[in-house]
Amino acid sequence: MDVKIEQSWKKALAEEFEKPYFKELAEFVRKEYKAGAVYPPPKLLFNAFNLCPFDKVRVVILGQDPYHGRGQAHGLCFSVPDGVAMPPSLQNICKEISADLGLPMPKSGNLEHWAKQGVLLLNTTLTVRKNSPGSHFGRGWEQFTDAVIKSFPTKKRGWYFCSGAATRRRRER
């Protein structure tokens, strides 16, 4: 299957793209986009991967599913495009960072600059129906994102994995 994703990820995940679950997932997502509003827009579906190539990943932040309101999701967990109000989850993250580092609250919730610095902003489910959080859970995205996460311990040295409030350092020895 020809998936439109950054080349290093295409290589790292090539086996996943050929598995039956992924083909079923791709068909499900195609039908969902045709049936109604689904976020993020198709061209931003793999934005996290396209902005943060496999060999550049230093930190993985894991969210649940994309924001489900119009204009919010752009393929990066917790991030919203410039000009979109920060959702509560992102406000909380920014407050913690501001308090920890003594920095002012950012004016924008766009985290593209994090991705370009090696932060993979990955949701466990990459798509969601408009105004329906969790609507694409259990359709195959979790298997795919598990494969993404599993690709690191054997192929990467010294990276951080963050999920919610938990952070742990992984090292390959």
Side-chain angles (χ1 to χ4, degrees):
M1 174 174 284
D2 184 31
V3 176
K4 306 256 187 285
I5 193 169
E6 193 273 334
Q7 199 58 38
S8 64
W9 283 107
K10 186 176 265 195
K11 182 178 176 184
L13 300 171
E15 290 180 22
E16 291 305 305
F17 299 136
E18 298 306 319
K19 291 182 178 179
Y21 87 86
F22 193 85
K23 292 177 182 183
E24 291 171 18
L25 171 62
E27 184 58 28
F28 167 76
V29 171
R30 265 192 290 280
K31 287 180 181 177
E32 285 288 287
Y33 277 118
K34 286 181 182 178
V38 172
Y39 303 122
K43 68 180 181 176
L44 297 176
L45 181 60
F46 293 112
N47 203 23
F49 302 96
N50 294 333
L51 292 175
C52 187
F54 181 81
D55 60 329
K56 302 293 185 200
V57 175
R58 300 293 174 255
V59 175
V60 177
I61 297 178
L62 192 61
Q64 292 180 354
D65 60 351
Y67 292 124
H68 53 87
R70 183 176 187 190
Q72 293 178 312
H74 66 137
L76 304 171
C77 77
F78 299 110
S79 182
V80 293
D82 290 326
V84 174
M86 282 191 220
S89 57
L90 181 55
Q91 286 178 22
N92 290 337
I93 291 168
C94 290
K95 284 178 188 175
E96 290 294 324
I97 291 171
S98 293
D100 285 352
L101 302 178
L103 299 171
M105 281 287 286
K107 295 186 186 334
S108 172
N110 188 333
L111 304 179
E112 287 180 358
H113 60 286
W114 287 13
K116 292 174 183 176
Q117 294 177 63
V119 180
L120 181 64
L121 297 163
L122 182 66
N123 281 309
T124 56
T125 301
L126 301 189
T127 55
V128 67
R129 244 181 260 126
K130 178 183 178 181
N131 298 328
S132 187
S135 57
H136 288 185
F137 278 116
R139 297 298 190 148
W141 280 128
E142 298 87 349
Q143 188 172 346
F144 175 73
T145 54
D146 282 352
V148 170
I149 293 164
K150 288 176 186 173
S151 72
F152 291 111
T154 59
K155 298 178 184 174
K156 298 285 289 176
R157 290 191 175 277
W159 58 278
Y160 290 91
F161 177 81
C162 310
S163 176
T167 304
R168 58 189 161 149
R169 170 91 166 149
R170 294 204 174 221
R171 287 189 198 178
E172 187 178 292
R173 298 179 195 253

